[in-house]
Amino acid sequence: MQIHILNFVLINISFGDWILISLISFLLLILIVLLNTLKSLVHEIVPPIKKENEKTFIDAIESSLTNAMPIDREEEILLDHNYDGIKELDNHLPPWWVAMFYATIIWAIGYLIYFHFSDSAKLSLDEYNDEMAIAAKEKSVFLEKEGNKVNEETVTLFSDQENLNQGKEIFTTNCTPCHGQSAEGSVGPNLTDIYWLHGGGIKNIFKTVKYGILGKGMTNWETQLTPKQIQQVSSYVWSLQGSNPLNGKEKQGEVYSENTNEIAPDSLKMQTKK
Amino acid sequence: MALETFSYDNKIVKNFAYATMLWSIVGMLVGLIISLQLVFPSLNLGIACTTFGRLRPLHTNAIIFAFVGNGMFMGIYYSLQRLCKARMFNDTLSKIHFWGWQFIIVAAALTLVSGITSGKEYAELEWPIDILITLIWVVFGINLFGTILKRRERHLYVAIWFYIATWVTVAMLHIINSFELPVTFFKSYSWYAGVQDALVQWWYGHNAVAFFLTTPYLGIMYYFIPKAANRPVYSYRLSIIHFWALIFLYIWAGPHHLLYTALPDWAQTLGMIFSIMLIAPSWGGMINGLLTLRGAWDKVRENPVLKFMVVAITAYGMATFEGPMLSIKSVNAISHYTDWTIAHVHVGALGWNGFLTFGVLYWLIPVLFRTELYSKKLANFHFWIGTLGIIFYVLPLYWAGFTQSLMWKEFTAEGQLANTFLSTVTRIAPMYAMRSIGGSMYLVGALVMLYNLIKTIQLGSLLENEESSAPALVGEYTSHSTDHWHRWIERRPIQLLVFSLIMVAIGGIIELVPTFLVKSNIPTIASVKPYTPLELQGRDIYVREGCSNCHSQMIRPFRSETERYGEYSKAGEFVYDHPFLWGSKRTGPDLQREGGDKLKKPNAWHFNHMRDPQSISPGSIMPAYPWLMDDNLDTSNTGAKIRAMIKMGVPYPDGYDKIANQDLMHQADSIAQDLKQNQIKVMSNKEIIAVIAYLQRLGTDIYKEK
């Protein structure tokens, strides 16, 4: 997960944002100084043990940042305003604050020009197309390397317990809402009888799981399961033939048997091509 | 000069203070209840009026318009009289304002739990209440300006600048955003559709934060901080620059709620860059507030009033720094639709508005009742449990938001989404529980305050009319060469009003007008057609039940969203959506393509899921909607709804309103028939049928193009 976070952050941070990140760092620095200012304000009440009139380095930075009139000389900048007893001083604007204001304005103008008046920046949809292209490439490289390339033509039935257990787990997480706890069928059809809407057997089931039956409620699981996982769950489903669970849903579709070679037209085409 | 004697109206201030105290408890209690509903969905009780989708707007409206609204009027009515050295303009108007506002709140509460809502976030109230709000706001305005015009103080103090800007901007926002076409007494459609509606809504929504929760409270801060600390305001020139910069820049920032949506890129950019430029003006207020306490920090340690105020200003500074950060597109890509936003607004609501209100109440109640606070100890207890409550509230939600967002975006090496939506919800459930603990602590603090203040009130007696005297303003002011140039406008409230309006109108005009007039901003899609009558009725039920409080309908152009939900949303898909229902939070998954190939589910799935979500998705926190299966769909208004749509330019054929119900029945029958084939027996005239029809239609039109 760590790597994905890092990837995500790197992909999504653009040039303009790097400028902003520097700005944030700058602002954080200011925040620290501001907090320090507050601390020293507290010190005015509870004076730290310090020689008279000795200015520390921090004091110097501070006064250059806030540019505030010392409290004992406040009278000099007290205005003649008096609103229900409220008076107003006329302290200088804190220089760091002014600098920050200018910096954000300059950044904003720069961002606007960069993204809308120069051809170098990517807007939302360009960003998206790039993201998709990178992902597709990475995916194909990965699958190539892993040999995880089983498809509806090459898929074979798992019969070992380990793969079937994995398949059962996948089934329980993803399939039970529509097909029932024991594949007896509820919203979706019963998967344990010999009747099949889209063909039985490992190849047909793999295909149905992978591409889904769009428009009829069956999701295309290829976006959520790996080819191997689809192979596992399809093998598990086929292993349930004849398990005859309670409350099985009534038959839907045609009888399927391996011998009749009733394969959906698409896969037939692929076979003849071979 | 002869002294004039007059009296301040303290009774109206007391009334607003009482209302603030009452609504604070109500609003927070509803908030606590809905936060618990996210942990224990059974707390929705299976009853329409106690379900999350209806209670959540009740919570937000109660906090914003009832608690903070009354708090604002309390602060304004107290400070304005003293800053103007004049009694409120008219006692009857004060009373109408007070009772009118309370009536609006009660009407809002009753209608919201009954599902009477416009569906627009923070502007949910239906058209009769919208009109009432406008009238009461005008009453408030007359009272405000009447008092200012008969003032005995030549210049207007900075607090009053903020009050004036608040009044004029809220009026503008409310009126423009509330353009709606009534269908019945309790139902209207937003005049705008889709992208345009979204832009107007968030221009309003964002500036409700700015001009209802921020500017009036800055005004209140400028009065009560110097009063409570007995210190002069830090910098007059800072007041000037941050006031004008704040109101000018704030209004532009609305589109940052719509980053990566179907809103045109240029508008998104404006929203983002103006948000960044807002940091300094916002912090100007924080600096002026905090540095006013320079030389009074010993008092802060002693005085609970100042403690509350210091935390409030600090929370304001944090929220106004975080807001711009969240407006940066790449940060927003992570934070949007998650609980991060909820944490962010609660730093503002609990910290800034809550704590400043508490500070003012602790200062004001003893003053009004001429006594000492009953217990300083209890006030200190309130301060600490409230502060801890805020921390316990926001930290888990930051964590939850970040965790969930990363889980949504996580892919396996095989290129597949690593997490189902549901697994991201169950992962953050413990953080929701922790948030409820934080919220409870904050509420306990508020209850302790209520007790403490009631005891204080019992100790003292209210001075209803406080005598005062001041010389009348006579003759023209002779200005001095040493006067600051800004003093000119401080003597002229009308000019101040006009200039404020100009300032806030600029950003609005530049963003709204092109989006309405320039065609290329919303490219049309030929295959997008109006909803069928049944789908339209289903959509209205979707609005009524507040589905968009938890489900967005806006797929952003990210791989993690198009893989999960399907094709990203296009501006042209929403042209018949009155109102838009993009939502702002994904407590549940996005529904924009619920009927599309990727997500399409059988009618029976929807039926079972709405009746008992947990039976289909174990661990889901969605409430059940059993009444949709029992209640009959009201088809008596179908014709009126179609006519309203036609009036707003939705291309139904002429005279379609008369035959719409035939089509409606036909479609309903076919859905009921399909359900019957799946062993679900339901009459075709039930509400659930319309909801299913709407959900199955969602996001499908663009696929018809191919």
Side-chain angles (χ1 to χ4, degrees):
Chain A
M1 178 145 172
Q2 289 303 325
I3 293 167
H4 293 300
I5 297 172
L6 190 67
N7 269 342
F8 177 78
V9 169
L10 289 180
I11 289 168
N12 281 277
I13 289 194
S14 63
F15 165 74
D17 301 328
W18 283 116
I19 301 179
L20 198 80
I21 287 167
S22 346
L23 182 69
I24 294 167
S25 323
F26 170 67
L27 293 179
L28 283 178
L29 191 76
I30 287 165
L31 192 66
I32 292 166
V33 176
L34 185 70
L35 285 174
N36 200 17
T37 315
L38 294 181
K39 199 181 96 192
S40 69
L41 291 175
V42 175
H43 282 169
E44 285 179 25
I45 317 306
V46 190
I49 304 144
K50 191 169 82 172
K51 279 178 205 156
E52 284 275 318
N53 296 331
E54 188 192 327
K55 278 216 156 185
T56 65
F57 177 62
I58 296 284
D59 287 340
I61 295 183
E62 220 180 82
S63 67
S64 76
L65 280 173
T66 60
N67 204 7
M69 184 64 80
I71 292 189
D72 45 14
R73 288 172 51 206
E74 220 167 60
E75 289 294 317
E76 297 171 26
I77 54 163
L78 191 65
L79 300 168
D80 61 350
H81 307 175
N82 185 341
Y83 302 97
D84 193 32
I86 299 173
K87 301 195 167 180
E88 293 186 285
L89 298 171
D90 198 19
N91 265 302
H92 288 294
L93 303 175
W96 67 268
W97 181 84
V98 176
M100 175 172 78
F101 202 178
Y102 281 130
T104 55
I105 292 169
I106 291 165
W107 178 85
I109 294 168
Y111 184 95
L112 189 68
I113 293 172
Y114 179 66
F115 275 86
H116 292 279
F117 299 97
S118 81
D119 294 331
S120 38
K122 291 195 185 90
L123 295 178
S124 307
L125 295 186
D126 300 325
E127 256 179 60
Y128 173 67
N129 293 333
D130 283 4
E131 189 192 10
M132 293 305 279
I134 292 167
K137 204 170 161 194
E138 276 176 359
K139 183 178 171 180
S140 72
V141 168
F142 179 84
L143 290 181
E144 202 83 48
K145 204 167 64 192
E146 294 290 303
N148 195 347
K149 285 192 80 175
V150 52
N151 61 30
E152 53 273 27
E153 293 172 60
T154 59
V155 64
T156 54
L157 188 70
F158 282 132
S159 51
D160 61 297
Q161 208 49 49
E162 191 181 325
N163 276 313
L164 288 178
N165 283 343
Q166 297 265 349
K168 183 176 183 184
E169 206 169 291
I170 296 163
F171 186 88
T172 314
T173 328
N174 299 300
C175 314
T176 50
C178 290
H179 293 288
Q181 284 299 325
S182 322
E184 74 276 14
S186 70
V187 172
N190 184 341
L191 302 175
T192 63
D193 58 13
I194 55 171
Y195 298 95
W196 291 87
L197 287 163
H198 306 288
I202 183 66
K203 290 196 160 92
N204 286 321
I205 298 176
F206 185 95
K207 197 175 156 206
T208 310
V209 174
K210 182 176 175 185
Y211 298 113
I213 306 299
L214 299 180
K216 286 185 68 181
M218 180 70 179
T219 311
N220 52 340
W221 289 96
E222 62 172 339
T223 57
Q224 292 174 56
L225 299 174
T226 68
K228 184 161 182 209
Q229 286 175 317
I230 297 177
Q231 188 180 9
Q232 287 167 332
V233 74
S234 303
S235 299
Y236 171 72
V237 166
W238 191 237
S239 78
L240 296 175
Q241 282 289 293
S243 58
N244 204 12
L246 282 176
N247 304 325
K249 197 175 171 185
E250 89 281 19
K251 63 178 186 178
Q252 283 171 284
E254 305 294 321
V255 177
Y256 176 86
S257 96
E258 292 277 60
N259 307 327
T260 56
N261 266 336
E262 256 182 65
I263 305 174
D266 286 3
S267 33
L268 202 66
K269 213 190 292 169
M270 282 181 233
Q271 268 187 350
T272 47
K273 231 186 255 172
K274 259 189 195 167
Chain B
M1 269 180 289
L3 275 186
E4 292 182 341
T5 55
F6 54 94
S7 68
Y8 296 130
D9 183 358
N10 282 350
K11 198 177 162 201
I12 189 71
V13 181
K14 180 211 74 174
N15 287 346
F16 278 118
Y18 282 9
T20 308
M21 281 143 61
L22 170 69
W23 296 122
S24 74
I25 303 295
V26 173
M28 289 174 207
L29 193 63
V30 178
L32 181 60
I33 290 169
I34 60 173
S35 82
L36 287 169
Q37 286 176 339
L38 292 179
V39 188
F40 309 107
S42 58
L43 287 178
N44 286 287
L45 305 179
I47 305 169
C49 61
T50 54
T51 298
F52 185 91
R54 295 194 187 182
L55 288 189
R56 194 259 179 181
L58 180 65
H59 165 61
T60 52
N61 277 279
I63 291 299
I64 298 172
F65 301 108
F67 169 51
V68 178
N70 278 302
M72 170 207 308
F73 299 136
M74 163 184 76
I76 292 176
Y77 272 77
Y78 184 84
S79 60
L80 183 73
Q81 298 187 69
R82 281 141 184 98
L83 292 170
C84 291
K85 287 205 173 72
R87 191 183 175 85
M88 284 310 295
F89 173 64
N90 183 305
D91 284 4
T92 312
L93 287 183
S94 300
K95 281 194 192 106
I96 294 172
H97 178 195
F98 176 78
W99 289 108
W101 196 254
Q102 309 317 314
F103 178 78
I104 287 167
I105 292 166
V106 173
L110 292 177
T111 54
L112 288 174
V113 296
S114 311
I116 297 164
T117 168
S118 72
K120 291 174 75 161
E121 233 179 323
Y122 316 119
E124 287 92 349
L125 305 178
E126 263 301 349
W127 66 274
I129 305 180
D130 278 342
I131 291 174
L132 202 55
I133 292 171
T134 312
L135 295 176
I136 295 298
W137 200 255
V138 169
V139 168
F140 168 48
I142 294 171
N143 222 5
L144 176 76
F145 276 92
T147 311
I148 292 172
L149 292 177
K150 65 167 202 176
R151 71 191 184 281
R152 295 185 183 82
E153 183 71 67
R154 180 75 67 178
H155 293 96
L156 299 176
Y157 178 55
V158 51
I160 299 176
W161 316 343
F162 278 105
Y163 299 157
I164 290 175
T166 299
W167 184 82
V168 70
T169 315
V170 170
M172 173 183 84
L173 294 167
H174 174 69
I175 290 169
I176 293 181
N177 188 47
S178 299
F179 263 81
E180 50 214 350
L181 189 63
V183 179
T184 66
F185 188 69
F186 287 124
K187 175 74 196 164
S188 67
Y189 289 120
S190 172
W191 185 260
Y192 319 104
V195 173
Q196 293 158 348
D197 197 33
L199 182 63
V200 174
Q201 159 61 24
W202 282 112
W203 168 79
Y204 160 88
H206 176 73
N207 289 300
V209 174
F211 290 90
F212 206 89
L213 300 177
T214 305
T215 53
Y217 266 54
L218 282 170
I220 287 169
M221 175 193 88
Y222 272 112
Y223 181 83
F224 288 93
I225 289 248
K227 274 281 174 192
N230 197 21
R231 287 279 304 153
V233 172
Y234 176 72
S235 173
Y236 168 64
R237 64 182 83 173
L238 185 58
S239 301
I240 296 169
I241 185 145
H242 104 89
F243 168 75
W244 290 106
L246 191 82
I247 66 166
F248 174 72
L249 293 173
Y250 233 128
I251 209 86
W252 296 73
H256 71 208
H257 291 258
L258 299 169
L259 297 178
Y260 285 112
T261 66
L263 187 75
D265 272 306
W266 63 264
Q268 297 185 28
T269 297
L270 286 180
M272 172 174 163
I273 62 175
F274 276 86
S275 303
I276 297 295
M277 288 188 280
L278 256 176
I279 300 174
S282 302
W283 273 20
M286 173 183 72
I287 295 167
N288 234 357
L290 280 182
L291 292 187
T292 294
L293 296 171
R294 226 163 64 115
W297 286 94
D298 54 329
K299 289 183 200 152
V300 174
R301 250 171 302 159
E302 299 286 304
N303 184 345
V305 170
L306 287 177
K307 273 189 217 174
F308 274 106
M309 289 178 174
V310 165
V311 170
I313 299 171
T314 312
Y316 174 66
M318 290 192 321
T320 52
F321 180 71
E322 187 188 18
M325 295 302 112
L326 292 176
S327 309
I328 297 167
K329 283 181 88 176
S330 50
V331 179
N332 195 269
I334 302 175
S335 72
H336 193 47
Y337 293 134
T338 74
D339 288 291
W340 191 342
T341 313
I342 316 300
H344 167 65
V345 299
H346 280 85
V347 171
L350 301 175
W352 165 241
N353 293 113
F355 266 38
L356 192 61
T357 312
F358 300 152
V360 170
L361 281 170
Y362 279 123
W363 185 86
L364 190 59
I365 294 291
V367 168
L368 288 180
F369 286 85
R370 295 173 293 172
T371 179
E372 292 285 310
L373 186 64
Y374 168 70
S375 165
K376 213 165 138 180
K377 229 180 203 158
L378 284 178
N380 278 322
F381 171 77
H382 177 198
F383 173 77
W384 285 111
I385 199 170
T387 307
L388 286 174
I390 296 174
I391 293 168
F392 278 101
Y393 185 103
V394 299
L395 289 187
L397 283 195
Y398 282 124
W399 188 4
F402 206 70
T403 304
Q404 193 177 31
S405 184
L406 292 179
M407 285 179 80
W408 286 343
K409 289 170 189 293
E410 192 182 351
F411 280 88
T412 63
E414 290 87 352
Q416 278 137 359
L417 289 165
N419 304 291
T420 61
F421 192 92
L422 186 56
S423 67
T424 70
V425 175
T426 49
R427 173 74 71 86
I428 61 171
M431 298 156 205
Y432 279 164
M434 278 194 273
R435 175 264 298 269
S436 296
I437 294 172
S440 317
M441 292 166 73
Y442 194 87
L443 177 60
V444 166
L447 288 168
V448 168
M449 174 190 76
L450 191 65
Y451 172 78
N452 200 356
L453 292 180
I454 289 173
K455 282 287 179 188
T456 309
I457 289 164
Q458 286 168 351
L459 283 178
S461 67
L462 177 71
L463 182 61
E464 287 199 0
N465 296 299
E466 185 181 332
E467 296 296 326
S468 187
S469 61
L473 284 189
V474 278
E476 277 295 297
Y477 179 76
T478 43
S479 49
H480 312 289
S481 57
T482 53
D483 277 358
H484 193 283
W485 58 267
H486 195 261
R487 296 298 266 175
W488 181 86
I489 201 161
E490 289 168 29
R491 293 189 293 273
R492 292 170 175 78
I494 301 301
Q495 282 89 333
L496 189 60
L497 172 81
V498 172
F499 276 105
S500 300
L501 182 60
I502 292 171
M503 283 298 213
V504 295
I506 293 172
I509 290 168
I510 292 180
E511 283 177 354
L512 298 183
V513 171
T515 312
F516 280 81
L517 298 184
V518 181
K519 204 121 199 340
S520 67
N521 279 320
I522 301 162
T524 47
I525 301 172
S527 62
V528 173
K529 297 277 184 287
Y531 295 103
T532 68
L534 185 65
E535 289 157 5
L536 189 64
Q537 292 284 11
R539 192 174 197 272
D540 288 341
I541 296 171
Y542 184 99
V543 170
R544 183 187 78 193
E545 299 306 336
C547 303
S548 51
N549 284 295
C550 293
H551 294 281
S552 59
Q553 288 189 19
M554 172 48 61
I555 302 163
R556 296 175 294 174
F558 301 146
R559 178 184 170 217
S560 58
E561 303 209 350
T562 56
E563 290 287 321
R564 192 182 296 279
Y565 303 116
E567 188 70 16
Y568 60 84
S569 307
K570 319 267 190 294
E573 291 185 83
F574 303 98
V575 289
Y576 305 129
D577 281 14
H578 296 270
F580 82 114
L581 292 172
W582 295 0
S584 62
K585 173 72 172 61
R586 280 184 191 148
T587 304
D590 189 280
L591 297 180
Q592 206 239 322
R593 303 226 180 275
E594 190 58 16
D597 287 353
K598 212 177 190 88
L599 299 174
K600 184 164 175 78
K601 292 148 188 113
N603 293 332
W605 186 96
H606 282 295
F607 186 93
N608 290 333
H609 185 251
M610 297 291 287
R611 191 183 51 195
D612 182 6
Q614 283 75 27
S615 73
I616 303 280
S617 311
S620 163
I621 56 172
M622 170 151 157
Y625 290 83
W627 60 92
L628 298 180
M629 286 84 198
D630 299 330
D631 294 351
N632 293 339
L633 181 67
D634 177 11
T635 53
S636 64
N637 52 21
T638 311
K641 287 181 172 180
I642 297 286
R643 280 193 296 279
M645 286 291 166
I646 291 173
K647 201 173 274 177
M648 292 186 293
V650 178
Y652 289 105
D654 275 349
Y656 187 65
D657 55 306
K658 294 189 186 64
I659 54 164
N661 266 334
Q662 291 167 22
D663 282 2
L664 183 148
M665 303 294 180
H666 185 71
Q667 192 184 3
D669 284 342
S670 77
I671 292 173
Q673 194 62 34
D674 175 71
L675 287 171
K676 200 174 167 193
Q677 279 169 11
N678 286 286
Q679 283 81 46
I680 294 170
K681 289 193 184 64
V682 59
M683 308 264 281
S684 63
N685 64 347
K686 298 296 174 191
E687 290 187 333
I688 184 69
I689 304 287
V691 174
I692 292 175
Y694 172 61
L695 291 173
Q696 297 289 25
R697 171 69 182 276
L698 274 175
T700 55
D701 281 10
I702 61 163
Y703 295 120
K704 290 172 188 152
E705 204 170 16
K706 289 162 192 167

